[in-house]
Amino acid sequence: MLILERNSELKIHLDRIRAESRQIGFIPTMGALHAGHISLINESKKQGLFTVCSIFVNPTQFNDKKDLEHYPRTPDQDIEMLRQSGCDALFMPSTEEIYPKEDTRIFNFGELETLLEGSHRPGHFNGVAKVVSILFDKVQPNVAFFGSKDYQQVMVIQALVKQLNLPIKIVPCSIIREPDGLAMSSRNKRLNKEEREAAKLIPLLLNESKVLFKAQKPISEIKAFIASKLAQKTIYKLEYFEICGSDDLHILTNKNEVKEGIALIACFVGKIRLIDNLILD
Ligand code: PAF
């Protein structure tokens, strides 16, 4: 596996790949890799693409400085996992390579930015859009793969590609879960034993919301039920639980408003903020 740190090296190698008429699959990450990331690499390899992964902890998408400082960093382990996965190239740029000067662009994703993650993490999606547009420009992939745990992020990136008119196919991939159902996330590494045990309630509640939704329970009751379950222990602090239309994430008040609903949750377990989602029908 090639390991590249400079934009110039990346360009030389990827120009060579393009000259051989090979297609490029790209998996942008912030490192602290887990089986969820590797499933994205596997998907790209399965499609016969020259597979590039990037690891860059993007400062512009953190609205909380402490969260950025504590974001897990495990480069040696990441490199080993990528080698074993058969990834072809790893791009690990410094902050100066990505942001040689301040990026002051302001993107407009309309309602998507004001809902759910958008309202709880102001500026987050603008930072994601900055870094992803820069990485897309450097890698110029044909296909890019993203995990659906960050469902709203995938929608933002789809909107970004459309707005910038980029010839990149965005492939959302299934959430990969631990045996007890917890969605894999780099942030899980920061959970202590008690928090890790408590975290498994999140997927259980999503599953319960699905049962209730299918049974035509009013959405207000489902929301109250989830909130009350989480209120029973002080280790949880619910930020939001919403049931939305899976196509545009508008918040539903009634099941019959859409073809497909999705439940989305953000909840602190101790100090760690976890997000998850589940398609309801
Ligand atoms: O999902 C992530 O890990 C990040 O938001 C991304 C897409 C790599 C941008 O920094």
Side-chain angles (χ1 to χ4, degrees):
M1 180 177 72
L2 290 165
I3 300 182
L4 310 161
E5 292 182 357
R6 311 296 296 259
N7 297 326
S8 50
E9 301 169 320
L10 181 77
K11 186 170 172 355
I12 291 169
H13 284 287
L14 294 186
D15 280 350
R16 207 190 61 222
I17 297 299
R18 278 184 278 270
E20 291 167 6
S21 299
R22 293 186 65 188
Q23 301 245 309
I24 295 173
F26 181 42
I27 296 94
T29 81
M30 298 205 296
L33 301 183
H34 50 70
H37 295 112
I38 300 305
S39 74
L40 306 179
I41 305 279
N42 292 342
E43 190 53 42
S44 172
K45 296 292 294 177
K46 212 168 83 191
Q47 295 190 19
L49 305 167
F50 182 88
T51 299
V52 181
C53 175
S54 66
I55 295 181
F56 178 67
V57 183
N58 173 36
T60 65
Q61 73 187 74
F62 286 84
N63 50 328
D64 173 355
K65 238 179 138 215
K66 283 239 155 57
D67 194 22
L68 170 62
E69 268 165 35
H70 293 131
Y71 199 82
R73 290 162 171 88
T74 55
D76 295 342
Q77 200 183 311
D78 292 348
I79 290 172
E80 194 43 42
M81 282 175 82
L82 288 172
R83 279 214 169 97
Q84 291 194 9
S85 73
C87 181
D88 296 297
L90 167 62
F91 182 44
M92 282 180 102
S94 64
T95 305
E96 292 69 38
E97 285 292 297
I98 296 295
Y99 297 115
K101 58 180 181 9
E102 198 190 346
D103 183 346
T104 54
R105 287 176 298 163
I106 309 277
F107 294 85
N108 181 356
F109 299 112
E111 258 225 301
L112 254 189
E113 266 174 312
T114 61
L115 295 162
L116 309 166
E117 289 301 286
S119 67
H120 288 273
R121 302 184 70 188
H124 168 66
F125 287 130
N126 203 64
V128 169
K130 280 180 186 174
V131 78
V132 171
S133 61
I134 292 167
L135 290 166
F136 278 176
D137 184 51
K138 298 194 182 309
V139 176
Q140 298 190 15
N142 303 89
V143 190
F145 299 84
F146 292 88
S148 294
K149 183 175 70 67
D150 298 294
Y151 191 89
Q152 193 175 2
Q153 170 172 278
V154 176
M155 292 190 86
V156 165
I157 289 164
Q158 276 162 336
L160 175 76
V161 163
K162 213 169 169 190
Q163 280 179 22
L164 301 180
N165 208 9
L166 301 175
I168 302 173
K169 182 175 170 206
I170 304 300
V171 178
C173 298
S174 309
I175 300 177
I176 305 295
R177 295 183 180 278
E178 300 286 355
D180 65 3
L182 181 66
M184 290 202 181
S185 164
S186 303
R187 288 172 197 273
N188 295 353
K189 294 194 165 77
R190 295 185 53 209
L191 296 166
N192 66 26
K193 219 170 155 217
E194 188 200 356
E195 291 161 349
R196 174 63 188 82
E197 181 59 24
K200 68 183 187 199
L201 182 62
I202 291 175
L204 281 176
L205 290 180
L206 286 175
N207 281 316
E208 290 200 42
S209 73
K210 181 170 179 163
V211 173
L212 296 172
F213 186 76
K214 287 193 146 193
Q216 307 275 353
K217 279 265 177 261
I219 289 179
S220 55
E221 275 182 34
I222 304 177
K223 285 168 69 166
F225 168 76
I226 301 293
S228 72
K229 283 278 182 184
L230 290 165
Q232 282 169 15
K233 284 198 179 156
T234 53
I235 197 163
Y236 303 111
K237 195 171 140 271
L238 178 63
E239 268 202 349
Y240 63 79
F241 169 83
E242 294 289 355
I243 294 184
C244 299
S246 65
D247 53 347
D248 61 0
L249 286 185
H250 76 277
I251 292 173
L252 299 184
T253 47
N254 186 323
K255 182 180 192 300
N256 303 325
E257 277 174 54
V258 278
K259 272 219 304 269
E260 188 178 69
I262 179 170
L264 302 107
I265 189 167
C267 183
F268 279 92
V269 180
K271 284 202 186 63
I272 312 303
R273 184 178 187 274
L274 300 177
I275 61 170
D276 198 355
N277 65 74
L278 187 68
I279 296 284
L280 299 181
D281 53 9

